[in-house]
Amino acid sequence: MEDIIIIFLLSLLAITAIAIIFMRNMLSVIMLGSIYSLLSAVIFVVLDAVDVAFTEAAVGAGISSVLFLSAFAVTGKRQVLKQKNKLIAFVTVSLTAAALIYATSDMPYVGDPNAPVQTHVAARYIEQSGSEVGIPNMVTAVLASYRGFDTLGEVAVVFTAMIAVLLLLLRREEEELDREK
Amino acid sequence: MKNNPVIKQTSFLLIPVILLFGLYVQFHGDYSPGGGFQAGVIFASGLILYALIEGQAKAEQVFSMRLARILSASGLLLYAGIGVASMFLGANFLDYNVLADDPLQGQHWGIFWVELGVGLTVTSVMLSIFYAFTNFK
């Protein structure tokens, strides 16, 4: 039953992706992208990864759509089609797709107990996090305690992104003020 | 669209719930799905909804651009500060065991403050980026 649900959701994902390719109105693209994220979130729920699903729904479907919308309010709402270099684009996409499909042949099956992800540190987290960290949500224990250093890096990345956006957008504002003077 | 009464009333009904849910996700992340990242995004989207309905001038009275910049830096500083604090108490960087007498209590406090730092930074970064785009002409 779960397999049928996953296949159904994955085909909806594929349909959404194909629809995005043929859309020219950026508003529709953003909305479909939001739907894509929401579908991924549902797939994560089916795979029992609720924390990831939560993040995908909040960040992917929620805030990034809003940020895209406010960005397109600045840039304009229609995609300008360029007819050149179609062959190069086709070759690049085909090669990347072929490489990705080739790479999946090496991947372990979902839930395979011998997969590297299960045999490395996951067992320690599952068995010991209750006595070592002592909070019920194992994901938070890994994210904030075992992998605290990584999360610090993530927060630094988010902060750097803000600095970059402000540098790009606010400098323009000050230049205009200078011009007015 | 701003003057549409349906949108306005519905949003005013929803904004407090969104903000409250953001706080719940922030402080209940130890027990249920969630944590600083998700909470920050949810809290920011509540404020962004307010900015969309009432205009940015009113939103900046609640959460100004300046406040957003200060909070985004202090969230990151709080996170790194917890790491430095544990170093001063004689353990490795970000080893929360020494933050309290009982290692488990120390872990609990460490995670609480670290997640709060994440939440502060994410909320204010999302708001700053939104403000930067809407201010851009």
Side-chain angles (χ1 to χ4, degrees):
Chain A
M1 187 61 201
E2 207 175 288
D3 286 342
I4 299 171
I5 296 174
I6 291 264
I7 290 168
F8 175 70
L9 288 169
L10 283 177
S11 27
L12 282 183
L13 266 191
I15 293 168
T16 319
I18 292 167
I20 289 175
I21 299 173
F22 290 108
M23 286 287 168
R24 290 290 163 258
N25 185 334
M26 292 320 254
L27 275 178
S28 328
V29 171
I30 296 168
M31 285 305 135
L32 282 173
S34 180
I35 291 169
Y36 189 92
S37 286
L38 210 59
L39 284 170
S40 324
V42 178
I43 291 175
F44 290 138
V45 172
V46 178
L47 293 173
D48 287 337
V50 273
D51 273 271
V52 186
F54 201 168
T55 316
E56 183 65 43
V59 179
I63 205 97
S64 53
S65 310
V66 174
L67 291 180
F68 271 131
L69 283 176
S70 46
F72 282 122
V74 175
T75 59
K77 292 190 180 63
R78 284 198 74 82
Q79 184 184 8
V80 182
L81 268 186
K82 285 181 188 157
Q83 294 295 333
K84 297 172 202 163
N85 287 337
K86 266 193 169 173
L87 189 71
I88 296 174
F90 180 73
V91 170
T92 317
V93 169
S94 314
L95 281 180
T96 316
L100 286 173
I101 291 170
Y102 176 70
T104 53
S105 62
D106 255 1
M107 278 173 66
Y109 288 105
V110 175
D112 180 3
N114 295 319
V117 68
Q118 316 286 5
T119 53
H120 189 42
V121 285
R124 160 88 180 263
Y125 294 154
I126 294 168
E127 286 160 11
Q128 304 288 327
S129 78
S131 54
E132 283 181 345
V133 182
I135 60 170
N137 185 356
M138 217 179 290
V139 178
T140 304
V142 173
L143 210 76
S145 186
Y146 287 111
R147 296 291 182 96
F149 211 86
D150 291 4
T151 310
L152 177 63
E154 277 174 49
V155 179
V157 165
V158 170
F159 183 65
T160 318
M162 180 196 76
I163 294 176
V165 169
L166 291 188
L167 277 176
L168 280 172
L169 296 186
L170 293 187
R171 198 180 61 187
R172 183 79 167 268
E173 203 173 61
E174 275 166 15
E175 275 170 10
E176 271 166 22
L177 282 177
D178 287 341
R179 228 174 290 147
E180 277 166 21
K181 280 171 195 167
Chain B
M1 191 193 86
K2 268 180 194 165
N3 295 322
N4 186 328
V6 176
I7 292 178
K8 206 164 181 170
Q9 292 306 321
T10 320
S11 304
F12 280 164
L13 218 62
L14 278 175
I15 288 168
V17 183
I18 294 173
L19 296 183
L20 196 66
F21 185 61
L23 291 175
Y24 166 77
V25 171
Q26 170 76 52
F27 295 113
H28 210 258
D30 305 359
Y31 303 95
S32 58
F37 276 101
Q38 295 94 324
V41 168
I42 293 169
F43 205 81
S45 51
L47 292 169
I48 287 176
L49 182 59
Y50 184 74
L52 287 174
I53 298 299
E54 280 290 304
Q56 192 172 344
K58 272 204 162 179
E60 287 205 34
Q61 284 175 4
V62 183
F63 205 104
S64 69
M65 190 105 182
R66 194 181 152 72
L67 181 69
R69 279 183 216 167
I70 293 170
L71 281 185
S72 61
S74 45
L76 185 58
L77 206 64
L78 176 65
Y79 197 135
I82 293 292
V84 175
S86 62
M87 275 172 85
F88 272 115
L89 290 168
N92 287 327
F93 187 67
L94 289 173
D95 182 355
Y96 314 131
N97 280 348
V98 290
L99 292 177
D101 295 333
D102 175 32
L104 284 186
Q105 187 63 40
Q107 286 284 344
H108 217 98
W109 282 5
I111 290 173
F112 175 83
W113 288 110
V114 156
E115 290 277 8
L116 188 65
V118 175
L120 282 177
T121 301
V122 172
T123 306
S124 31
V125 164
M126 293 303 158
L127 263 181
S128 306
I129 295 179
F130 175 75
Y131 282 162
F133 275 123
T134 46
N135 274 336
F136 187 85
K137 281 176 194 89

